[in-house]
Amino acid sequence: MAEQSVPSPQIEHKVAEKKGTVILPVYQNMKSVVAVAKRGFNPGELFFPQAIAFDSENRIFVAEGFLHAKHSRISIFSDKGEFLDSFKHPDLIDACGIAIHEDNLYVTQNSGYAIFHFKIAKDFPLISKHDTERGSTDTFSCGIAASTNGDLYFANYCISKVEIFNSSLKHLRYLTKDPIKRPMDIKLTANEVYVLCNLNPRVHVFSHTGEKIRSLISLGDEMQMLGPFWFCLDAAENIIVSEFFEHNVKVFTKEGVLITVIGKKGDEAGMLFKPCGVALTKELGLVVVSHSDNCGFQIFSSV
């Protein structure tokens, strides 16, 4: 991907069309307006970025992993792609999932299987750390999401469960009694919990008390997912999924109807290669995708 740093324009949140009762943003016209793709370990460079999240100031927090504390860190950029800061911790050896609630930053790691709680402040002090259940087979320790009251929902891929913690990382309960097979990522709305599973790919939707409401988008469906890694929701609860093996991002309605596909395989601006994290700014409606092998992220916008 050619490195670019083009300021993103102010974007009016447009409406493309109405399908039933769902109003869809203009995802069909998404174009890459910022591309950051320099591989390395220096400030402003990225090495194996995974999940991404925005804070209340629209800063982009990128979790960088890959099995070594020397390389694992959190890098922070503006929504125009400008490097702002980065930090690491000696115990954080493979940063993976990431969630932000107020001035609290929560990071999951694969190797070591733990959740870290950092304060978003000078030097990003570590507040606490919780070692997570590993199960019988070492696999992934994946996505995490924060509710409005600060409770944390953790997609524990290793044990096929969603765990719920309070803001101090005290285990409260499991979302469901029965296993949720290989949960990869998780997102919350006021009334529902969306869980993305990447083995036999689908999205399950539960109430916050664990009752299953529906399942969406499985293999064999017309608009199938093949290798989903991370996802996010917009204000209309449209589902935006990164397809690692398809090298694109798919946007579905909350009922599972495909709206559009963003990107295609390549290493130039507007193209993707093994995308991982995906997120939206609340104000500007930008889609941001981090990459793994070509180490960078892009900001897409309807322009």
Side-chain angles (χ1 to χ4, degrees):
M1 185 196 307
E3 184 181 358
Q4 296 184 8
S5 183
V6 181
S8 56
Q10 294 294 319
I11 298 161
E12 181 182 355
H13 197 63
K14 302 175 184 178
V15 172
E17 57 182 314
K18 201 170 185 179
K19 291 186 177 181
T21 59
V22 179
I23 297 177
L24 308 178
V26 184
Y27 291 109
Q28 290 87 343
N29 298 322
M30 283 285 180
K31 295 181 180 179
S32 177
V33 295
V34 174
V36 178
K38 191 170 183 180
R39 181 187 181 97
F41 309 117
N42 295 318
E45 298 175 342
L46 293 169
F47 188 81
F48 212 81
Q50 291 290 311
I52 53 180
F54 287 93
D55 69 0
S56 60
E57 299 177 17
N58 269 329
R59 295 178 298 182
I60 305 167
F61 286 66
V62 185
E64 298 177 70
F66 208 64
L67 305 177
H68 201 293
K70 179 181 177 181
H71 301 154
S72 188
R73 64 185 175 186
I74 306 299
S75 290
I76 305 164
F77 297 82
S78 74
D79 62 359
K80 297 177 176 62
E82 302 158 338
F83 174 73
L84 300 176
D85 202 355
S86 67
F87 74 95
K88 58 178 64 177
H89 188 277
D91 294 336
L92 183 62
I93 58 176
D94 191 5
C96 185
I98 190 169
I100 295 173
H101 180 255
E102 297 178 345
D103 60 351
N104 299 290
L105 174 67
Y106 299 92
V107 182
T108 67
Q109 72 171 11
N110 282 330
S111 302
Y113 304 93
I115 303 172
F116 292 76
H117 175 196
F118 298 99
K119 182 66 68 174
I120 302 178
K122 183 180 179 180
D123 300 326
F124 297 91
L126 178 67
I127 305 302
S128 60
K129 174 188 173 186
H130 175 81
D131 294 325
T132 58
E133 295 182 58
R134 296 178 60 165
S136 59
T137 304
D138 290 349
T139 48
F140 298 113
S141 175
C142 286
I144 190 167
S147 67
T148 54
N149 70 356
D151 286 348
L152 302 166
Y153 289 62
F154 169 52
N156 192 328
Y157 194 95
C158 297
I159 63 171
S160 292
K161 290 276 191 176
V162 170
E163 298 184 77
I164 303 175
F165 301 87
N166 67 14
S167 59
S168 300
L169 298 184
K170 179 183 177 181
H171 185 274
L172 300 177
R173 60 186 174 89
Y174 297 108
L175 178 65
T176 61
K177 180 185 296 185
D178 296 326
I180 303 171
K181 194 170 183 180
R182 298 307 192 203
M184 187 74 187
D185 197 13
I186 188 164
K187 294 293 180 287
L188 309 176
T189 68
N191 300 311
E192 296 177 333
V193 180
Y194 285 72
V195 182
L196 171 67
C197 301
N198 77 340
L199 190 65
N200 188 21
R202 63 189 62 218
V203 175
H204 298 296
V205 185
F206 301 89
S207 70
H208 282 266
T209 53
E211 291 81 15
K212 190 171 184 178
I213 299 172
R214 60 191 183 276
S215 293
L216 307 171
I217 320 169
S218 62
L219 278 169
D221 290 346
E222 180 183 359
M223 308 308 181
Q224 62 187 335
M225 297 184 296
L226 295 179
F229 261 49
W230 305 95
F231 81 110
C232 65
L233 302 172
D234 68 13
E237 296 182 30
N238 296 312
I239 306 166
I240 304 163
V241 182
S242 68
E243 283 273 25
F244 187 81
F245 298 110
E246 295 273 274
H247 309 287
N248 60 35
V249 172
K250 291 178 180 174
V251 185
F252 301 87
T253 67
K254 64 185 296 183
E255 290 82 17
V257 178
L258 182 69
I259 299 173
T260 193
V261 177
I262 299 170
K264 61 181 180 179
K265 185 176 181 180
D267 60 2
E268 298 179 0
M271 296 181 176
L272 303 172
F273 188 73
K274 295 184 179 179
C276 289
V278 59
L280 286 172
T281 65
K282 295 179 181 179
E283 288 81 6
L284 299 179
L286 301 174
V287 179
V288 180
V289 181
S290 69
H291 302 60
S292 55
D293 284 15
N294 63 347
C295 292
F297 66 83
Q298 294 191 62
I299 301 177
F300 290 84
S301 172
S302 54
V303 293

